[in-house]
Amino acid sequence: MNLNSLTKTNGEWLRALGPDADIVISSRIRLARNLSSFPFTNRVNAHQKAEIETYLKGRLEAVDFEPRLSYLNLAALSTLDRLLLVERQLISRELANSEGPRGVAFAPNEIISVMVNEEDHIRLQVIRSGFSLDEAWQEADRLDDKLEEKVPYAFSEELGYLTACPTNVGTGLRASVMLHLPALVLIKQIEKVFRALQKINLAVRGLYGEGSRASGDFYQISNQVTLGKSETTIINEIRDVIPNIVNYERQARQALTRESRPLVLDRVQRAFGTLKSAAMMTSEETMDLLSSVRLGVNLGLLDDINITEVNELFIHTQPAHLQKLIGRELDSDERNSERARFLRNRLREIDPQVN
Amino acid sequence: MNLNSLTKTNGEWLRALGPDADIVISSRIRLARNLSSFPFTNRVNAHQKAEIETYLKGRLEAVDFEPRLSYLNLAALSTLDRLLLVERQLISRELANSEGPRGVAFAPNEIISVMVNEEDHIRLQVIRSGFSLDEAWQEADRLDDKLEEKVPYAFSEELGYLTACPTNVGTGLRASVMLHLPALVLIKQIEKVFRALQKINLAVRGLYGEGSRASGDFYQISNQVTLGKSETTIINEIRDVIPNIVNYERQARQALTRESRPLVLDRVQRAFGTLKSAAMMTSEETMDLLSSVRLGVNLGLLDDINITEVNELFIHTQPAHLQKLIGRELDSDERNSERARFLRNRLREIDPQVN
């Protein structure tokens, strides 16, 4: 499989076609599973680790599931290719940076991916555009059932699925939703939202997982508790809270349009102008400026560019995507210069009319 | 005279045609003169002030001098029209804001202007593009001689020309040069230049005179001493120091191009992009951004726009010019919005190629 092709298509979650896609970027279900016949990944020796990989590669390629999954041996890939998969959200940064036999199986539409030899032997993920937790869960559950027919999972009648880290024991389920909340950030209400979420045991992170700053006003909200509740209860708890945040963001956007239209318009247009003209641009600044542009498109302040195009710019300006698109490896300074050139070229023909 | 026509032409000093016009915006000579038969302006009564104005209006319109001078009664003008003349540098802000009979005579090319009933009865000014102090002095001296044939000046054999403020006694001469020093500001060497100038008794001010901040990296350098030296000595003292500053700025520009080209290019392009896209823009920010653009043009980093056009943008975005160009009076918020629109329209067709 030629990874370069990834830069020529968009994963389903980037297409902004799902429900509430103006605010909800994506919904994600992740299941942690382990083989009953091997120690956890952090306890295996090199030989066992290779055995696990070979075993799971075979099962994943053979599983009776549509769409078919293609398996990639991550150890054989370049650092750049692994980073590309991280940016696509097909693998975790931890798996990319770890050592030894490991891999990922994923479907061409990038909705489904299964990591092998991450913290757990199996990390199954379904990610969908917009607010689609139920659809994502059904898809994950279906693949999990099919895999379970072929693969003996480590399971305890008392505890449920056994995982390398106790925080995942039980369902092994993490449900998360990626939100774009620029208006709540602008009106300085985002901290209030965080505090409310923490009170009900939901975690908030940036776009690229734990510890990442919320660049571009992207916030990922997920459950923390996996044990003592059914999958449906966990998903319901997070699913029920999302519409409140979505409405809160929507109200903030309306308030901005009503009360501070010139200020917002100025911010949006300047962001677009800077993206079109800068000679150097970090990934961080790009995300922050694109966040303003995305807000502008959603508020109807800009036309001639749509949300799918903006989403694509978010991912194409990430370091690995950028280097793939340029066609060579670049150091940090070169990336900032090439990123700016890339943005100027992409946006050159776009002259959004002020509405 | 229809003042609106001023917005359709450029004064000579704005045309950037004089020597070293990449750095020296303009050279200016000002002579302070008073009538021997009247008290100074701050001592006259309303009747005398009117008498002085009528008297000087007649003499200025009749003086045997080419180009012919047209006289404007400032008391009859709107506040906006007076501000327009301030922005053109044809009158001082003090004269614009004062009360009672007062006026200005000026030539169509705006090189020469004579204020009536400013701090002194007569303030004669010659302003020329680029580094042209000698030419400006010769022109001022020629008009001064012609006026003196018709007008009895207050003059003391011992002190020289008598003026309302003792700091102007003697020659009544102020020689000043307006410099654009963005590179020295960028490399943080501008304070050093100031200290050197202060040591030799030269004053440094912003674009619009005493107390004005140096918006847009414009600095006006002028003599402080008018007494005990001949006109030629005063002019020589300032004329001799300017080439050093010009060279210092030029070296700073070369160093920037050599050592920090990507940074400077980025700054220049972002400035241009912001000017092309913002929805609100203060006069201050406009000057600061145009300063970067002007630097970019001079460094050969931008084409498709020239220095004369940039100079014109500096003045056309000043509050009074802007209101004249839009055709109505605007409050501060409206000005910021209309200024941004004006800049977007002016720059829409300009897509400077990165060199």
Side-chain angles (χ1 to χ4, degrees):
Chain A
M1 181 185 192
N2 181 357
L3 284 193
N4 292 340
S5 68
L6 287 182
T7 60
K8 297 188 182 66
T9 60
N10 283 331
E12 194 272 347
W13 69 271
L14 268 169
R15 288 186 199 150
L17 301 172
D20 297 317
D22 56 333
I23 294 173
V24 186
I25 305 293
S26 60
S27 301
R28 186 159 68 140
I29 294 290
R30 184 268 280 158
L31 296 173
R33 299 288 184 258
N34 287 277
L35 301 178
S36 59
S37 42
F38 287 90
F40 291 130
T41 311
N42 57 354
R43 296 296 196 100
V44 290
N45 59 36
H47 178 73
Q48 289 171 311
K49 204 170 178 184
E51 245 186 297
I52 295 169
E53 201 218 351
T54 310
Y55 176 81
L56 285 175
K57 174 178 188 297
R59 296 297 176 284
L60 286 165
E61 286 176 339
V63 68
D64 174 26
F65 188 81
E66 283 297 331
R68 306 296 302 166
L69 305 180
S70 315
Y71 188 86
L72 271 181
N73 172 5
L74 289 174
L77 291 185
S78 67
T79 307
L80 185 59
D81 278 337
R82 289 197 296 265
L83 183 57
L84 189 74
L85 295 170
V86 173
E87 293 172 1
R88 297 301 273 206
Q89 309 235 30
L90 289 169
I91 67 172
S92 65
R93 201 172 290 273
E94 291 68 32
L95 186 66
N97 296 340
S98 70
E99 306 257 308
R102 62 204 194 281
V104 62
F106 62 93
N109 61 10
E110 299 176 41
I111 291 177
I112 292 165
S113 75
V114 185
M115 289 187 277
V116 170
N117 280 340
E118 219 256 17
E119 185 180 289
D120 298 293
H121 300 151
I122 299 168
R123 285 275 177 110
L124 188 164
Q125 169 189 278
V126 175
I127 185 167
R128 297 200 69 109
S129 170
F131 187 29
S132 314
L133 272 181
D134 287 331
E135 292 80 351
W137 162 245
Q138 283 152 24
E139 195 88 338
D141 192 34
R142 190 164 69 87
L143 176 57
D144 187 44
D145 287 349
K146 288 289 181 186
L147 259 187
E148 204 162 9
E149 290 172 11
K150 307 262 182 188
V151 174
Y153 282 163
F155 183 82
S156 141
E157 285 299 334
E158 194 189 349
L159 293 170
Y161 293 101
L162 301 178
T163 56
C165 177
T167 58
N168 293 315
V169 166
T171 56
L173 171 70
R174 177 140 294 151
S176 62
V177 176
M178 181 71 69
L179 302 172
H180 186 227
L181 304 175
L184 287 172
V185 173
L186 261 179
I187 67 166
K188 302 193 195 318
Q189 293 296 305
I190 197 78
E191 290 293 336
K192 208 161 133 184
V193 175
F194 293 170
R195 285 195 300 271
L197 291 171
Q198 277 153 8
K199 273 189 196 159
I200 54 170
N201 280 321
L202 294 177
V204 183
R205 299 189 184 83
L207 177 55
Y208 285 110
E210 277 178 82
S212 73
R213 184 179 97 79
S215 311
D217 307 320
F218 291 111
Y219 295 91
Q220 182 183 298
I221 292 161
S222 59
N223 64 305
Q224 307 216 58
V225 177
T226 58
L227 187 66
K229 295 178 183 177
S230 73
E231 286 85 349
T232 320
T233 306
I234 292 170
I235 291 166
N236 285 353
E237 279 174 1
I238 184 163
R239 197 192 47 205
D240 289 350
V241 81
I242 297 299
N244 296 330
I245 307 175
V246 168
N247 284 338
Y248 199 26
E249 168 70 16
R250 218 160 256 155
Q251 282 164 20
R253 292 182 183 186
Q254 281 161 6
L256 282 174
T257 320
R258 206 169 47 236
E259 290 151 30
S260 317
R261 192 178 185 282
L263 279 166
V264 176
L265 185 61
D266 187 52
R267 184 188 179 90
V268 168
Q269 286 186 212
R270 281 171 185 253
F272 201 84
T274 303
L275 288 165
K276 270 187 84 155
S277 62
M280 285 190 302
M281 182 82 73
T282 64
S283 167
E284 287 280 302
E285 187 187 7
T286 305
M287 290 183 74
D288 288 339
L289 294 172
L290 284 175
S291 175
S292 290
V293 169
R294 197 176 194 279
L295 177 64
V297 175
N298 279 326
L299 291 181
L301 297 176
L302 292 176
D303 50 24
D304 210 20
I305 182 163
N306 64 44
I307 287 296
T308 308
E309 290 169 304
V310 178
N311 281 6
E312 188 175 287
L313 288 175
F314 271 110
I315 195 137
H316 281 180
T317 53
Q318 296 293 328
H321 275 77
L322 184 71
Q323 291 174 79
K324 282 287 176 184
L325 286 162
I326 302 297
R328 61 189 176 92
E329 292 202 24
L330 306 165
D331 68 26
S332 171
D333 277 356
E334 287 173 321
R335 280 206 300 280
N336 291 342
S337 158
E338 290 299 333
R339 181 179 292 112
R341 186 197 310 276
F342 173 81
L343 285 161
R344 290 200 307 275
N345 287 338
R346 276 285 182 100
L347 301 175
R348 190 183 300 280
E349 301 304 322
I350 303 176
D351 188 16
Q353 293 307 303
V354 181
N355 289 321
Chain B
M1 180 185 195
N2 181 357
L3 285 193
N4 291 341
S5 68
L6 286 182
T7 61
K8 296 189 181 66
T9 60
N10 283 331
E12 193 272 346
W13 69 270
L14 269 169
R15 287 185 200 151
L17 302 172
D20 297 315
D22 55 334
I23 294 172
V24 186
I25 305 293
S26 61
S27 301
R28 185 160 68 142
I29 295 290
R30 183 268 279 157
L31 296 172
R33 299 288 184 256
N34 287 277
L35 302 178
S36 60
S37 43
F38 288 89
F40 291 130
T41 311
N42 57 354
R43 296 299 196 97
V44 291
N45 60 35
H47 177 72
Q48 289 170 311
K49 203 169 179 184
E51 245 186 296
I52 295 169
E53 200 219 352
T54 309
Y55 176 81
L56 285 175
K57 174 179 189 295
R59 295 300 177 283
L60 286 164
E61 286 176 339
V63 68
D64 174 25
F65 188 82
E66 282 297 331
R68 307 295 301 166
L69 305 180
S70 315
Y71 188 87
L72 270 181
N73 172 5
L74 289 173
L77 292 185
S78 68
T79 307
L80 185 59
D81 278 338
R82 288 197 297 264
L83 184 57
L84 189 74
L85 295 169
V86 173
E87 293 172 1
R88 298 302 272 206
Q89 308 236 32
L90 289 169
I91 67 172
S92 66
R93 200 172 291 272
E94 291 67 31
L95 186 65
N97 296 339
S98 70
E99 306 258 306
R102 62 204 195 280
V104 62
F106 63 93
N109 60 9
E110 299 176 41
I111 291 176
I112 292 164
S113 74
V114 184
M115 289 188 276
V116 169
N117 279 338
E118 219 257 16
E119 185 180 289
D120 298 293
H121 300 150
I122 298 168
R123 286 273 177 112
L124 187 164
Q125 169 189 279
V126 176
I127 185 167
R128 297 200 69 110
S129 169
F131 187 29
S132 314
L133 271 180
D134 287 331
E135 293 80 351
W137 161 244
Q138 282 152 24
E139 194 89 335
D141 192 34
R142 191 165 67 89
L143 176 57
D144 187 44
D145 287 349
K146 288 291 182 186
L147 258 187
E148 203 162 10
E149 289 173 11
K150 307 264 184 187
V151 174
Y153 283 163
F155 184 82
S156 142
E157 286 299 333
E158 194 189 350
L159 294 171
Y161 293 100
L162 302 177
T163 56
C165 178
T167 58
N168 292 316
V169 167
T171 57
L173 171 71
R174 177 141 295 151
S176 62
V177 176
M178 182 72 69
L179 301 172
H180 186 226
L181 304 175
L184 287 172
V185 173
L186 261 179
I187 67 166
K188 303 195 195 319
Q189 293 295 305
I190 197 78
E191 291 292 336
K192 208 162 133 184
V193 174
F194 293 171
R195 284 195 299 273
L197 291 171
Q198 275 153 9
K199 272 189 196 159
I200 55 170
N201 279 320
L202 293 177
V204 183
R205 298 189 185 83
L207 177 55
Y208 285 110
E210 277 179 80
S212 73
R213 184 178 98 79
S215 311
D217 307 319
F218 291 112
Y219 295 91
Q220 182 183 296
I221 291 160
S222 60
N223 64 305
Q224 307 216 57
V225 177
T226 58
L227 186 67
K229 296 178 181 176
S230 74
E231 286 86 349
T232 320
T233 305
I234 292 170
I235 291 167
N236 286 352
E237 280 174 1
I238 184 163
R239 196 193 48 205
D240 290 350
V241 82
I242 297 299
N244 297 329
I245 307 175
V246 168
N247 284 338
Y248 199 26
E249 167 71 16
R250 217 159 258 154
Q251 282 164 18
R253 292 181 184 187
Q254 281 161 7
L256 283 174
T257 319
R258 207 170 45 236
E259 292 152 29
S260 319
R261 193 179 185 281
L263 279 166
V264 176
L265 186 61
D266 187 52
R267 185 189 179 89
V268 167
Q269 286 186 213
R270 281 170 185 254
F272 202 84
T274 303
L275 288 165
K276 271 188 84 158
S277 62
M280 286 191 300
M281 181 82 71
T282 64
S283 167
E284 287 279 303
E285 187 187 7
T286 306
M287 289 183 75
D288 288 339
L289 294 172
L290 284 174
S291 175
S292 291
V293 169
R294 197 178 193 278
L295 177 64
V297 174
N298 279 326
L299 291 181
L301 297 176
L302 292 176
D303 50 23
D304 210 21
I305 182 164
N306 64 45
I307 287 295
T308 308
E309 290 169 303
V310 178
N311 281 6
E312 188 175 286
L313 288 175
F314 270 110
I315 195 137
H316 281 180
T317 53
Q318 296 293 328
H321 276 78
L322 184 72
Q323 292 173 80
K324 282 287 175 182
L325 286 163
I326 302 296
R328 62 189 176 89
E329 293 203 23
L330 306 165
D331 68 25
S332 171
D333 278 355
E334 289 174 320
R335 280 205 302 279
N336 291 342
S337 158
E338 290 298 333
R339 181 179 291 111
R341 187 197 309 277
F342 173 82
L343 285 162
R344 289 200 307 275
N345 287 338
R346 275 285 183 100
L347 301 176
R348 189 182 300 280
E349 300 306 320
I350 302 177
D351 188 17
Q353 294 307 303
V354 180
N355 289 322

